[in-house]
Amino acid sequence: MGVVSESARADRYPKQDRSRATRQKLLEAAVACLAEHGWTGSTVTVVAERAGVSRGAAQHHFPTREDLFTAAVEYVAEQRSSALRELPAQDRGAVLRALVDLYTGPLFRAALHLWVAASHEEQLHARVTELEARVGRETHRMAVELLGADESVPGVRETVQGFLDMARGLGLANVLTDDRGRRERVVGQWAELIDGALGG
């Protein structure tokens, strides 16, 4: 087996770095386009232009439109999960607000457009259903961990899931109007309910 020269190694790593950077730009641009323009207005060409790369480069990383958009929503969901993991677990109010923020930002709006498209497009349906199930399980698991919830206690699992379902509902309402004041009051009430259910 031959020895890889230093120059060959140096050439390979910057190329890998550029490839990773291009992929990341495409994923972020795809989520932004989906959130702003919906499924019909978010083509691979539009995303590539926004990311500042060629359509060919986009298709090299993501051969199909479905590949690009499901990967984009998954990527941003993972980024948000990482941010959640850094929250101080003892501050339930901060945890609840951060969880609601997951459903009121561009990621949720992008995911919503993807869900609607998946309800009409067969090639998307199975992929989006599987992705949503995985993201939902991970969000629930993190909520339980960050809230210090003991799911062996009757009703605790349902209380946490009820909060997440309510947060999703607030996200849907936020698509049409940004009623931040009402949202904060609702989250405050849920914080009291959760403290009561989990032991505040």
Side-chain angles (χ1 to χ4, degrees):
M1 191 161 76
V3 176
V4 178
S5 71
E6 286 299 323
S7 62
R9 193 177 289 116
D11 286 344
R12 187 171 65 236
Y13 289 128
K15 186 175 180 181
Q16 288 173 345
D17 290 344
R18 284 195 303 275
S19 178
R20 245 191 315 272
T22 298
R23 181 181 169 83
Q24 185 173 337
K25 282 194 285 190
L26 283 164
L27 293 171
E28 290 172 356
V31 169
C33 286
L34 204 52
E36 291 171 21
H37 307 299
W39 176 252
T40 55
S42 299
T43 63
V44 174
T45 301
V46 168
V47 172
E49 285 174 4
R50 185 174 189 132
V53 304
S54 70
R55 181 184 167 86
Q59 289 183 311
H60 169 74
H61 287 278
F62 304 101
T64 69
R65 185 182 184 205
E66 292 76 22
D67 291 336
L68 172 61
F69 286 103
T70 52
V73 170
E74 185 170 23
Y75 164 77
V76 180
E78 287 168 0
Q79 298 294 104
R80 292 294 175 88
S81 293
S82 297
L84 275 178
R85 286 188 198 100
E86 293 172 10
L87 287 171
Q90 66 273 18
D91 186 348
R92 280 187 185 152
V95 169
L96 294 174
R97 285 190 296 277
L99 287 166
V100 168
D101 287 347
L102 283 179
Y103 295 103
T104 53
L107 171 61
F108 179 76
R109 191 177 292 263
L112 186 59
H113 285 296
L114 201 59
W115 298 343
V116 172
S119 71
H120 302 293
E121 304 213 7
E122 193 177 329
Q123 69 270 30
L124 260 183
H125 188 270
R127 295 175 73 169
V128 172
T129 301
E130 190 275 332
L131 172 62
E132 170 57 19
R134 191 156 24 98
V135 170
R137 283 192 303 272
E138 174 65 8
T139 304
H140 182 95
R141 188 192 64 73
M142 280 193 305
V144 166
E145 185 180 312
L146 289 167
L147 292 168
D150 179 359
E151 289 193 301
S152 69
V153 175
V156 165
R157 178 177 179 77
E158 293 75 14
T159 299
V160 173
Q161 190 57 52
F163 173 78
L164 293 174
D165 291 343
M166 182 276 303
R168 186 181 289 113
L170 289 175
L172 283 169
N174 193 61
V175 169
L176 295 177
T177 57
D178 183 2
D179 190 354
R180 204 174 304 264
R182 182 178 69 88
R183 190 162 68 239
E184 286 174 3
R185 290 192 300 276
V186 170
V187 173
Q189 181 63 35
W190 263 93
E192 290 184 24
L193 291 172
I194 284 180
D195 269 345
L198 304 187

